[in-house]
Amino acid sequence: MHVTLRQLYVFEAVARHLSYTRAAEELHLSQPAVSMQIKQLEDNVGLTLFEQLGKKIFLTEAGQELYQYSQQISRQLSEVEDVLEELKGSRRGTLTIAVATTATYFALHLLGRFHQRFPGANISLDVANREALLRHLEENTVDMVIMGKPPENLEVVAEPFMDNPLVVIAPPAHPLVEGRRVPLTVLQQETFILRERGSGTRIAMERFFAHLGATITSSMEISSNEAIKQAVQAGLGLGIVSQHTLEKEIALQRLVILEVDSFPIMRHWYIVHRKSKRFTALHQAFKDLVMEEARGLVNKTPK
């Protein structure tokens, strides 16, 4: 079997997008050129890698197997490039990070500081939900992940670097804003807009209320922190979000953090990577920066 790296490179892009057109755009190739590479690859391996149903293409069983290997090869080639750059004494290289959607409010600040120190570095950032973050770690497709609760079923290194308090938010005109500290029994009478099931915030909230033997009523589930904040501003209910997401809304007096018994729900942000991950000096520099900058980020948290 004679398979070229170029064929694998093109195949990985098509398999990732499940689209010849999008792969061609990413690779700056014509669609016929992409199709030709895939046809040559299928001829070389002697198996069909894609099947078409209607207007959509899907990986065959052979395609799924080859996709896993092509991703591993791509990661290893990227590691080789970074190691060789490091041996040259270069400050160049690639940093691939995935962060929880809630963490973008401070992760971009961290990446900005990192870019200032290492302007020659290439940074790849994926903002994703918890399910996608776990998949990144399981498949080892990124260097590091910034997330709330680390996985328990994978061999990872997870280091906490900052508190992540979850707070109850309300519009400024809400009746509970003017009162004293809100008892949990009063909170249970309110309606909430919540994150979708499976999100880190939702899991922490459900465990918190289950531990206290309390329940709350949900009127809406939304997968975006920004949409939750806007819904709360519109008076559709109360919300529970990370305090780190509220800097702008608190400053503009669009939202208020309620003083509620047993709140905030205290979580932590972790920087996570596979135990087997081979760190370059550039990767270690970012991890060190995260730990150094955490104190300054905490001081900026809105009250």
Side-chain angles (χ1 to χ4, degrees):
M1 183 176 68
H2 179 66
V3 175
T4 68
L5 286 175
R6 180 173 177 78
Q7 289 169 352
L8 286 177
Y9 185 59
V10 173
F11 167 77
E12 194 274 337
V14 176
R16 179 161 33 87
H17 292 295
L18 290 178
S19 167
Y20 286 88
T21 301
R22 292 179 63 186
E25 292 173 351
E26 177 184 307
L27 300 173
H28 303 290
L29 297 172
S30 67
Q31 187 169 329
V34 170
S35 299
M36 182 183 68
Q37 291 290 330
I38 298 300
K39 179 64 168 61
Q40 290 175 350
L41 179 59
E42 289 180 327
D43 290 343
N44 287 335
V45 301
L47 292 167
T48 301
L49 302 174
F50 296 97
E51 58 183 354
Q52 186 161 349
L53 300 176
K55 295 183 178 181
K56 295 183 178 181
I57 65 169
F58 300 87
L59 286 166
T60 63
E61 183 178 358
Q64 292 174 358
E65 291 291 337
L66 185 59
Y67 182 43
Q68 297 298 320
Y69 285 104
S70 69
Q71 288 182 304
Q72 294 177 25
I73 292 170
S74 178
R75 288 193 295 271
Q76 289 174 342
L77 287 174
S78 179
E79 285 185 8
V80 168
E81 183 179 357
D82 289 343
V83 169
L84 292 178
E85 289 290 348
E86 189 175 337
L87 289 174
K88 294 177 188 177
S90 171
R91 292 185 126 197
R92 302 178 61 186
T94 301
L95 176 70
T96 306
I97 301 293
V99 304
T101 53
T102 305
T104 55
Y105 296 88
F106 61 82
L108 292 176
H109 167 80
L110 293 172
L111 289 171
R113 293 296 298 272
F114 182 77
H115 176 68
Q116 291 173 3
R117 295 188 190 182
F118 302 94
N122 180 42
I123 300 172
S124 175
L125 172 66
D126 183 26
V127 179
N129 60 21
R130 179 174 176 81
E131 181 181 355
L133 296 178
L134 294 175
R135 188 164 57 249
H136 274 306
L137 288 170
E138 183 176 359
E139 298 176 359
N140 195 27
T141 53
V142 296
D143 298 318
M144 281 165 277
V145 168
I146 291 178
M147 65 190 306
K149 181 177 172 55
E152 299 176 352
N153 59 340
L154 291 176
E155 291 189 351
V156 298
V157 175
E159 297 183 43
F161 64 90
M162 186 168 62
D163 289 341
N164 176 26
L166 302 182
V167 296
V168 182
I169 56 173
H174 194 281
L176 293 180
V177 172
E178 298 300 329
R180 298 179 179 177
R181 189 171 184 85
V182 181
L184 206 57
T185 53
V186 173
L187 196 70
Q188 289 180 261
Q189 300 171 21
E190 298 293 327
T191 301
F192 281 79
I193 297 111
L194 302 177
R195 283 293 301 269
E196 79 283 7
R197 294 187 182 277
S199 75
T201 299
R202 181 66 175 265
I203 292 171
M205 183 213 71
E206 289 177 340
R207 289 180 176 175
F208 170 79
F209 284 108
H211 176 72
L212 295 177
T215 58
I216 59 174
T217 302
S218 170
S219 64
M220 191 182 302
E221 293 185 2
I222 303 178
S223 60
S224 161
N225 285 307
E226 288 301 314
I228 287 178
K229 291 187 291 183
Q230 291 175 21
V232 172
Q233 289 178 50
L236 295 176
L238 303 181
I240 298 177
V241 297
S242 170
Q243 195 166 334
H244 294 126
T245 69
L246 297 170
E247 183 176 355
K248 178 178 67 175
E249 288 78 11
I250 297 299
L252 296 175
Q253 298 183 338
R254 293 174 179 172
L255 290 172
V256 175
I257 298 175
L258 294 181
E259 296 290 332
V260 180
D261 284 345
S262 301
F263 271 82
I265 303 172
M266 190 55 68
R267 303 175 70 213
H268 296 89
W269 289 113
Y270 292 83
I271 188 161
V272 186
H273 60 83
R274 293 296 296 263
K275 283 185 177 179
S276 58
K277 175 63 67 176
R278 179 175 180 177
F279 266 26
T280 66
L282 195 70
H283 300 155
Q284 188 62 50
F286 177 75
K287 187 173 181 179
D288 292 343
L289 179 142
V290 169
M291 307 305 288
E292 292 169 8
E293 293 288 316
R295 184 180 302 274
L297 291 170
V298 169
N299 292 336
K300 293 180 180 179
T301 302
K303 304 296 183 182

